[in-house]
Amino acid sequence: MTADGAVDLHKIGVKFFAEQGNAVELVEFIPIFHRWIQTDALDDLLIDVADYSHVHAGPGTLLVADAGHYGFDETGRRRGMVYYSKHVLTGTLPERLAAVCRKVLLACQLLEQAPELQGRLKFDGNEVQIFSNDRLCAPNNEETFRAFEPALKEFLTKLYAGSGYSLNRETNSKERFCVTAKTSEPVRLDTLLGRLAA
Amino acid sequence: MMSWKERLIDRMPAELAREIDIYETQMALKRQGKVEDKLFAETRLRRGVYGQRYDNGQRHDGSTQRTLSFPCGDLTKGTETVWDAPGMQRIKIPFGGLTPDQMDVLADVAEEYSDGISHVTTRQDIQLHYIRIDDTPDLMRRLAAVSITTREACGNSVRNVTACPLSGVCSDEAFDVTPYAKACSRFLLGHPDVQDFGRKFKPAFSGCKHRACGLTTMHDLGFIARIRVENGVERRGFEMYVGGGLGAVPYQAKLFDEFVPEEEILPLSQAISRIYARHGEKKNRNRARIKFLVDKLGIDRFREMVLEERRGLPHNEAWTDYLKELPAYGEKPLKPATKLNSGARSTAFETWRASNVYRQKQPGYAVATATLPLGDITSWQMRQLADIARRYVGENVRTTVEQNILLRWVSEADLPALHGELERIGLGEAGAGTIMDITACPGTDTCKLGIASSRGLAAELGERLAAKYQQLDEAVKGLHIKISGCFNSCGQQHLADLGFYGVSRNVGGMTVPHFRVVLGGQWEENAGSYGVAIGVVPSKRVPDFVDRITEKYLTEREKGERFREFIERVGKRELKALVDELATVPPYELDRSYYSDWRDPREFTLSDIAKGECAGEVVSRIDFDLQGAERQYFEAQLQFEAGNHQKAGETAYSAMLAAAKGLIRTQYQDITDDADTIVREFRARFYDTELFHDKYAGGKFAHYLFGRHEDKERTFDTDKTRRLLEETQLFIEAAHACNARMIGQNAAAPMIANQEPASVARV
């Protein structure tokens, strides 16, 4: 945290959960991610694919990039697409949250359209998980939440266009600082992307 | 914002904290172009910071070779190794011993700097992948705060000291080798005599001779616990082996001594290290392991040299200090011993108990194995397992060379509840130590040397075997499968019943991944014998081969015949025929699947193989010493800039002493840190002999050291300190030049055993 009590967080993760993710085997993402590398499908330096389909509730299939990692992941026993940054990000904290969110939303869209999956995978736009991957800057406690809340609100207000949302926090202090926001109305991914671009 | 360094300053052992600061300074110097690639590569390797596949910035994407344009541009962290490219961090876990607090931190750093996976290696280490080098100092600090060091986890040094994970609880052991392994690890860590090896050096301890335990015969240095009765008194010692190793050509270690008393194991290890450093191969990396030296000299001559060296070693209290603590040593169970009651239990539990539970020699206690698929554990699982350990066994946790984690001292009555807890976190699978529990090195997933996908194959085989595990015959269940991605044998395929290592074959102008089959290795008897290489099968046919060879074993074995004996009896010709039945690769047009590897759809290529870092870089001790002097000089400059003139002056003087000491050490190995001694020896060996003299400046630069050393009343005003800094720089430059001249003229006196100080020698 900075001297004025704000969170200067750069290692940010965002995850959108899969609606029908269980219909797809984790190893099915391996050729898709390799194809993304071949075709420069994402605006990142994409490096390699790591297969963790053998571990329980783990990173699933990981797409290793320079600035952060993408993955179709099973952490918390919930499947979804995640991106977490590993480098310093620019902008204010709400802007950083939006930038990370945009990256994962674009990846979600690409996966939904992947010909290999033939429409078997859809993501829930109305639920988003945000986590800090930096225990020094943002340990999982009430103080972090209070410091993080204004930026979070600003970001979620933009993402969900003022719709109400419920917020859940990870309570185990050993786990990463993590909040999950959910609105009651279904939202399309392109709608979310449009709002972030506005 | 507070940094990890500030946050943890009071929790890190001072020595570890200082080492990490030094490493961070070396990184800064490298960024400024003040350290050459080779030296920095070996420096980071000795901190466990290892290269990873594609770190040369090149990757084949299945259709074309691509350049990975990392943001760092031309900055490198070793020859052909891009600074920003993700790398691997190896973390030493001596004898595999872990505490729950350490597990929590491992989980956190894996999550924050890696990909949320901790990988247990075949040497009881833990590895994290996809690490940015800029994150490594903080990663190391967080580990240091729970007393874990990464020092010498890679590079040409003493690697993790392994030990039988059942030490102390095993029914067959002579005695608990844990405190000896711990003492050996501590003694050799950073020891001056292990800094000048041509290659890595791996020690191992085993509590008994006949089980697999520590796999001592495949190690550079192996100890097997023995008790000898002398005059009616039991005496502890070790059967000691030297010169074993796997690699492309596996060697069985040679017996050095049937019984080395406990008080002699550390001095003998030191003497062996000196002989290896002095006489081991340095130029030809393929012949630089100690096994080649022992083979070349013969064990008898090697032994003679070691014992002669031993006789001349300056006494060191650390050789035996730890023995005083032995009577008090012992693990404390968290809970009282209670036998498992005879109530009804689930089939899943009984299946798990049959393979994953070992009854300790202490009645009422057991060891439970958490089976990690491919040695991988997620950060969430690691934290959960740490909490489970806290509830059931306290601090008694160990990693194994079979890439699992053991919980020791489980009260037997707790086993069903413990199994339930392990199932809850996805670590309750049965099959530890069976055919399903496959060992694999990282292979092409992350290793620069990998030829074929060892982990992909292991995952595929594991899934197939798990699906039919309950139906397998007990004789097949008990077999071991081990897989390496190349001939370097990190997956220990030579020790398995069924071993495989990655190779390639050209088929119709295309490269096809294959595995060479190695059959009949012996895991027991401390890796008693190595398997026989039979032939090669395409990667995609290996599962079929496993089915066929196990079927053949079941149908054709003689009564009580073990797999190794069966392989020996059937013979190579017949086995080769079995392999050859599967050797055919269909044309690309008919079946493309053969032309890519398991779980990697890219068309197979060897173009991603790069220069490995297993062999480290050959950097002599003097190079490290002079680099250390450079670093101190850099620190002195920073202190000067911060206005701390006294500190700057003292650090600069210390830098000159470090450079002088480095030169002295090329002639006199046991030079101390005492400034008077260093200056006296330097004067006698380098000034009086004019070895240090510059062609034009003569002995001028040496006088900078002498002048500073003799000036006891020095003041530290700005001008004087600045001048001292300039003199320090010139002195270090002169030391580099002197070293270069000595190398050129081969003028450095050859290192001989137990050289005396120059002053004594002259008399």
Side-chain angles (χ1 to χ4, degrees), chain B residues 12-304:
Chain B
M12 289 185 283
E15 196 182 331
L16 294 188
R18 172 78 183 138
E19 285 173 4
I20 298 164
D21 288 348
I22 289 171
Y23 166 66
E24 199 168 36
T25 304
Q26 286 163 328
M27 284 173 60
L29 287 168
K30 180 71 184 80
R31 278 195 212 92
Q32 295 174 14
K34 292 180 178 168
V35 186
E36 64 171 24
D37 270 339
K38 199 171 144 184
L39 182 57
F40 184 74
E42 183 63 14
T43 298
R44 70 172 159 76
L45 285 168
R46 291 194 190 191
R47 306 291 333 167
V49 180
Y50 207 88
Q52 200 173 303
R53 207 165 176 91
Y54 318 122
D55 68 5
N56 59 356
Q58 296 295 316
R59 182 179 183 275
H60 201 281
D61 70 6
S63 56
T64 52
Q65 190 75 21
R66 295 164 71 102
T67 297
L68 302 170
S69 302
F70 290 102
C72 62
D74 293 338
L75 183 62
T76 54
K77 52 186 172 183
T79 316
E80 296 173 21
T81 313
V82 181
W83 185 271
D84 276 343
M88 181 265 275
Q89 175 71 59
R90 185 175 291 149
I91 299 163
K92 266 179 157 173
I93 309 294
F95 62 88
L98 280 176
T99 67
D101 288 351
Q102 290 174 330
M103 292 164 77
D104 279 343
V105 173
L106 284 164
D108 290 354
V109 296
E111 205 163 55
E112 291 176 44
Y113 305 121
S114 175
D115 55 8
I117 293 285
S118 298
H119 175 74
V120 175
T121 75
T122 54
R123 289 197 55 73
Q124 296 178 301
D125 293 299
I126 286 185
Q127 285 181 186
L128 309 179
H129 293 94
Y130 308 109
I131 300 275
R132 297 173 64 236
I133 189 171
D134 291 329
D135 287 332
T136 54
D138 279 346
L139 188 162
M140 290 171 194
R141 289 187 178 103
R142 294 171 77 177
L143 294 172
V146 286
S147 300
I148 292 178
T149 181
T150 64
R151 182 166 186 183
E152 290 160 9
C154 308
N156 298 324
S157 53
V158 178
R159 302 292 186 84
N160 197 36
V161 176
T162 57
C164 168
L166 295 176
S167 305
V169 299
C170 172
S171 311
D172 300 328
E173 69 184 2
F175 54 84
D176 185 357
V177 299
T178 307
Y180 299 92
K182 197 173 181 176
C184 180
S185 177
R186 206 164 44 195
F187 178 71
L188 294 178
L189 183 72
H191 194 287
D193 291 341
V194 306
Q195 304 304 312
D196 220 2
F197 291 167
R199 283 292 304 269
K200 56 194 169 185
F201 187 82
K202 299 174 176 176
F205 283 79
S206 185
C208 74
K209 192 164 181 174
H210 301 299
R211 285 177 178 266
C213 296
L215 305 172
T216 46
T217 55
M218 54 153 267
H219 278 81
D220 296 290
L221 183 61
F223 298 94
I224 298 175
R226 293 275 307 271
I227 287 183
R228 178 181 276 182
V229 180
E230 291 176 357
N231 301 321
V233 178
E234 282 194 348
R235 207 170 167 208
R236 283 183 173 192
F238 291 86
E239 194 168 299
M240 188 168 148
Y241 290 83
V242 67
L246 296 180
V249 184
Y251 281 59
Q252 286 274 345
K254 305 287 186 298
L255 180 65
F256 183 90
D257 195 329
E258 283 182 351
F259 188 83
V260 173
E262 57 184 354
E263 63 274 15
E264 272 301 302
I265 62 170
L266 296 187
L268 272 178
S269 300
Q270 186 181 349
I272 286 170
S273 298
R274 284 190 170 200
I275 294 297
Y276 177 42
R278 199 176 302 143
H279 298 284
E281 173 65 45
K282 299 274 170 58
K283 286 183 185 149
N284 181 354
R285 319 311 316 285
N286 297 322
R287 306 281 301 173
R289 293 287 293 272
I290 197 172
K291 63 186 179 184
F292 296 107
L293 178 65
V294 173
D295 191 55
K296 187 174 93 180
L297 296 171
I299 185 65
D300 293 333
R301 175 69 188 128
F302 180 83
R303 189 186 297 111
E304 272 175 34

Side-chain angles (χ1 to χ4, degrees), chain A residues 1-3 6-9 11 25 27 30-41 45-60 62 64-67 69 75-77 84-88 131-139 170 172-176, chain B residues 1-4 7 53-54 59 61-63 66-71 84-86 104 107-109 111-117 129-132 135 138 142 373-374 376-381 383-384 386-387 390 423-427 444-446 455-456 459 463 599-602:
Chain A
M1 257 170 268
T2 57
V7 179
D8 186 24
L9 186 63
K11 293 185 173 177
E25 296 286 335
V27 291
I30 297 173
I32 298 172
F33 289 168
H34 276 288
R35 179 169 57 74
W36 288 6
I37 297 174
Q38 282 179 336
T39 58
D40 292 317
L45 172 57
L46 304 177
I47 300 171
D48 200 18
V49 180
D51 169 25
Y52 290 120
S53 58
H54 50 278
V55 298
H56 169 84
L62 193 72
V64 179
D66 173 61
H69 296 332
T75 305
R77 296 193 179 93
Y84 52 98
S85 57
K86 302 195 89 176
H87 280 207
V88 171
F131 60 89
S132 145
N133 205 18
D134 183 346
R135 285 173 176 79
L136 181 71
C137 177
E170 167 64 57
N172 183 345
S173 62
K174 284 187 179 177
E175 295 297 330
R176 296 182 285 209
Chain B
M1 191 178 75
M2 188 180 261
S3 64
W4 279 116
R7 168 82 71 88
R53 207 165 176 91
Y54 318 122
R59 182 179 183 275
D61 70 6
S63 56
R66 295 164 71 102
T67 297
L68 302 170
S69 302
F70 290 102
D84 276 343
D104 279 343
D108 290 354
V109 296
E111 205 163 55
E112 291 176 44
Y113 305 121
S114 175
D115 55 8
I117 293 285
H129 293 94
Y130 308 109
I131 300 275
R132 297 173 64 236
D135 287 332
D138 279 346
R142 294 171 77 177
L374 305 186
D376 290 345
I377 179 168
T378 70
S379 289
W380 177 78
Q381 286 176 317
R383 274 191 284 275
Q384 292 289 319
D387 283 343
R390 286 185 181 98
E423 280 193 314
R424 178 180 62 79
I425 63 169
L427 295 177
T444 49
D445 277 16
T446 52
R455 277 168 62 90
E463 272 182 21
R599 309 207 171 187
D600 186 343
R602 289 176 294 167

